[in-house]
Amino acid sequence: MAKSLKDFVSEALALIREITPEEGARLLERPNREGWSFLDVREPEEFAAGRIPGARNIPRGFLEVKADLEHPKRDAWLADRDHPLVLYCGGGHRSALAAMTLREMGFRQVVSLAEGWTGWTKRGYPVER
C-alpha cells in the first residue's frame, strides 16, 4: 500500500524530538539562544515574507545537498554535527521530515518546531521581515 504524507510525518515524529512554540520562544529569549540556531526549511519566498528572528533558510529540497560533508554545494554552516538546530516550516510537517533526515546524516541535536510558522505567528511571537 502506498504511503501518505501523514504516514511519513508519523514515522518521523516517532524518531525525532518536537518542541512546542512556547519552548522555541523561550530559546529565542535566552542569552545566545543557549547555542541553538533556528533553521527555516520553507521555500525562499515563504522565508522572505517573514521568519523567526535570526533564522537561516535552507529549503527542504536542498537540505541534503547543503548538509552533505562532501557535496560541492555543501554549506559549511552545517558541517558541525553537534550544532543544536531548531527546524521549522509552515505547519510542522516539512520540519519533522527534515529533522529525521538530519538525524540520519549524523546531527545529534536537531528538533522540529511543532505547528511551525503558523503556530509561531498565531501566538504573536517575534518575527523578522
Side-chain angles (χ1 to χ4, degrees), residues 6-61:
K6 183 179 178 181
D7 295 329
F8 285 114
V9 172
S10 293
E11 288 173 12
L13 289 173
L15 299 172
I16 59 125
R17 184 171 155 238
E18 195 174 42
I19 65 169
T20 65
E22 290 77 14
E23 290 172 288
R26 281 193 294 273
L27 277 176
L28 190 67
E29 294 171 355
R30 301 260 205 252
N32 258 359
R33 298 181 180 167
E34 295 183 353
W36 289 84
S37 294
F38 285 77
L39 179 59
D40 187 325
V41 298
R42 297 177 300 157
E43 294 300 309
E45 62 274 7
E46 292 173 288
F47 182 77
R51 60 200 157 274
I52 293 175
R56 291 183 62 131
N57 179 232
I58 300 177
R60 172 79 187 92

Side-chain angles (χ1 to χ4, degrees), residues 39-40 55-59 62-81 83 85 102 105 107:
L39 179 59
D40 187 325
R56 291 183 62 131
N57 179 232
I58 300 177
F62 285 103
L63 188 61
E64 292 85 352
V65 168
K66 297 296 187 177
D68 188 87
L69 294 173
E70 299 175 8
H71 197 282
K73 293 183 180 178
R74 68 186 170 274
D75 187 329
W77 186 76
L78 290 173
D80 181 1
R81 291 337 203 210
H83 185 156
L85 298 171
L102 290 182
M105 293 182 83
F107 286 81

